[in-house]
Amino acid sequence: MEQLEPILKPFSLYFSLNNGLSDTTPSLKRHLSKMKGMYADDQAYAAMTADGDPLLYEFYELGVPEQPGNLAFGTSIVYPGKVGSEYYMTKGHFHTILDTAEVYYCIGGKGYMLMENPEGDWTAEEFTPGKAVYVPGRYAHRSINIGNEPLITFYVFRSDAGHDYGSIETKGFRKIVVEQDGRPIIIDNPKWK
Amino acid sequence: MEQLEPILKPFSLYFSLNNGLSDTTPSLKRHLSKMKGMYADDQAYAAMTADGDPLLYEFYELGVPEQPGNLAFGTSIVYPGKVGSEYYMTKGHFHTILDTAEVYYCIGGKGYMLMENPEGDWTAEEFTPGKAVYVPGRYAHRSINIGNEPLITFYVFRSDAGHDYGSIETKGFRKIVVEQDGRPIIIDNPKWK
């Protein structure tokens, strides 16, 4: 963004508390076709991408210069839905500078922040409006919408942290969240390598 | 917090979107008597502290270990009111590691984030619900409530940034925000050194 160069000045940006969207800045949009192989049910995935390629989530990348004293921030909106029995989710990522944290504050919807570190520790923290979730350094993290409304979170991380999506695209998370008998359960990921 | 030692694990904490308060963790409370000399009107200040010492604001300090990869976060709630004609505000601070940023997301109320750097650049970004304000490194910052409801913000900063309150206590900000003819105006601080 031009106004951030060459010296970073104070600025503000609006993100609606109702739908998470900015009124001035375009979001990045992730449709289902960008997540090939990441859902457990390949048949359901193929049928859904053939039939309209739904928008799964959107988020913001504001271009704050990547320096260790700067922070990147924005909102993430994961829409409700399922691929087969598996709830809509973000790709998920490690930070390239592995030992950098991220904070998410949930302003709407219901879901999980699924996290795991290279040592195999994993956990799922619940998102409900007002819940702040701390993702420590070393933890890959993925937002999952288990409700009927958009899952909206406001996030902040060190702007130089970087995003490593490749590790998750290759290996997957150890766990997935699926609907069973009308409620979410956390089970082993059959595709996890 | 015990669960953060020795290795920082994922955790979550609730802060109400309605009043900003946690249901489990006590806040830190700042009453007027802790801000001697920081408001322009010493007579109004003396009368108000003699007559009950009102609560101006509260915020959270969660004890995340101070490391450059970690983030501190919480909410700040500045209550509505004035000392003379000057609106309730936080003490304000520089970060001890001067070149570290902070992000605030307004979830309720109306106000300003007043900012200035050692070079003399200053600005006031407006807080309304949904407004995210970026405080770059080098900028002292103070939240000011210009409305009739609590001004509630969710904030995140690098956990090792540190707080330098002393510089502001000694010098003050260059500008103050006062009510004139029923609306807020930004004027020179008569006490600024």
Side-chain angles (χ1 to χ4, degrees):
Chain A
M1 302 199 305
E2 278 168 22
Q3 73 269 35
L4 302 181
E5 305 285 349
I7 292 168
L8 199 55
K9 294 277 196 176
F11 68 96
S12 65
L13 204 61
Y14 173 79
F15 297 101
S16 165
L17 284 156
N18 294 317
N19 62 24
L21 298 172
S22 167
D23 55 349
T24 55
T25 300
S27 68
L28 297 176
K29 295 177 176 60
R30 288 285 176 267
H31 290 262
L32 185 57
S33 60
K34 291 291 171 60
M35 292 182 72
K36 189 167 169 57
M38 300 184 81
Y39 284 91
D41 187 337
D42 288 318
Q43 276 194 311
Y45 178 88
M48 287 178 72
T49 47
D51 189 29
D53 195 17
L55 175 65
L56 298 197
Y57 63 101
E58 44 193 318
F59 61 103
Y60 290 87
E61 168 52 57
L62 303 179
V64 173
E66 297 186 4
Q67 297 167 5
N70 293 351
L71 298 169
F73 66 96
T75 51
S76 162
I77 303 109
V78 184
Y79 292 100
K82 294 193 296 287
V83 177
S85 63
E86 191 174 0
Y87 295 97
Y88 279 9
M89 60 190 185
T90 62
K91 280 189 170 189
H93 60 273
F94 286 97
H95 289 157
T96 310
I97 302 178
L98 192 60
D99 201 15
T100 53
E102 186 158 353
V103 172
Y104 287 76
Y105 184 58
C106 180
I107 59 178
K110 188 169 167 59
Y112 285 116
M113 178 60 84
L114 183 64
M115 294 171 267
E116 66 173 57
N117 70 8
E119 291 72 36
D121 185 51
W122 73 271
T123 190
E125 291 285 345
E126 205 176 58
F127 275 134
T128 52
K131 260 299 181 67
V133 171
Y134 189 83
V135 181
R138 305 186 67 76
Y139 280 81
H141 42 288
R142 156 179 287 173
S143 301
I144 303 170
N145 186 339
I146 62 169
N148 301 312
E149 307 286 335
L151 172 64
I152 309 169
T153 53
F154 180 82
Y155 58 81
V156 181
F157 58 95
R158 234 174 67 179
S159 69
D160 64 337
H163 289 74
D164 166 16
Y165 292 106
S167 299
I168 293 299
E169 284 172 343
T170 307
K171 289 173 60 76
F173 277 78
R174 284 170 170 78
K175 301 289 173 177
I176 62 173
V177 182
V178 297
E179 185 180 76
Q180 188 179 79
D181 303 327
R183 63 184 190 83
I185 58 167
I186 301 172
I187 62 171
D188 287 343
N189 181 359
K191 289 184 166 181
W192 184 69
K193 299 181 188 106
Chain B
M1 304 197 305
E2 278 169 23
Q3 72 269 34
L4 304 180
E5 304 287 346
I7 293 169
L8 199 55
K9 294 277 196 176
F11 68 96
S12 65
L13 203 61
Y14 172 79
F15 296 101
S16 166
L17 283 157
N18 294 316
N19 62 25
L21 298 172
S22 167
D23 54 349
T24 55
T25 301
S27 68
L28 296 177
K29 295 176 175 63
R30 289 286 176 266
H31 290 261
L32 184 58
S33 59
K34 291 290 171 62
M35 292 183 72
K36 190 166 168 56
M38 300 183 81
Y39 284 90
D41 187 337
D42 288 319
Q43 276 194 311
Y45 177 89
M48 286 178 72
T49 46
D51 189 29
D53 194 16
L55 175 64
L56 298 197
Y57 63 100
E58 42 193 319
F59 61 102
Y60 290 86
E61 169 51 58
L62 302 180
V64 173
E66 296 185 5
Q67 296 167 7
N70 293 349
L71 297 168
F73 65 97
T75 51
S76 161
I77 303 110
V78 184
Y79 292 100
K82 294 193 296 289
V83 178
S85 63
E86 191 174 1
Y87 295 96
Y88 279 9
M89 61 190 184
T90 62
K91 280 189 168 187
H93 61 273
F94 287 97
H95 289 156
T96 310
I97 302 178
L98 191 60
D99 202 14
T100 53
E102 187 158 352
V103 172
Y104 288 75
Y105 184 58
C106 181
I107 58 177
K110 188 169 167 59
Y112 286 116
M113 177 60 85
L114 182 65
M115 293 171 269
E116 67 173 58
N117 69 9
E119 291 72 36
D121 184 52
W122 72 271
T123 190
E125 292 283 345
E126 205 176 56
F127 275 135
T128 52
K131 261 298 182 66
V133 171
Y134 189 83
V135 182
R138 305 187 66 78
Y139 279 81
H141 43 288
R142 157 179 289 173
S143 302
I144 303 171
N145 186 338
I146 63 168
N148 301 311
E149 307 287 336
L151 172 64
I152 309 169
T153 53
F154 181 81
Y155 58 81
V156 181
F157 58 95
R158 233 174 68 177
S159 69
D160 63 338
H163 288 73
D164 165 17
Y165 292 106
S167 299
I168 294 299
E169 284 171 343
T170 307
K171 288 174 61 74
F173 277 77
R174 284 168 170 79
K175 302 288 171 178
I176 62 174
V177 183
V178 299
E179 186 181 76
Q180 188 178 80
D181 302 327
R183 63 184 189 84
I185 58 167
I186 301 173
I187 62 171
D188 287 343
N189 181 359
K191 289 184 167 180
W192 183 70
K193 300 180 187 104

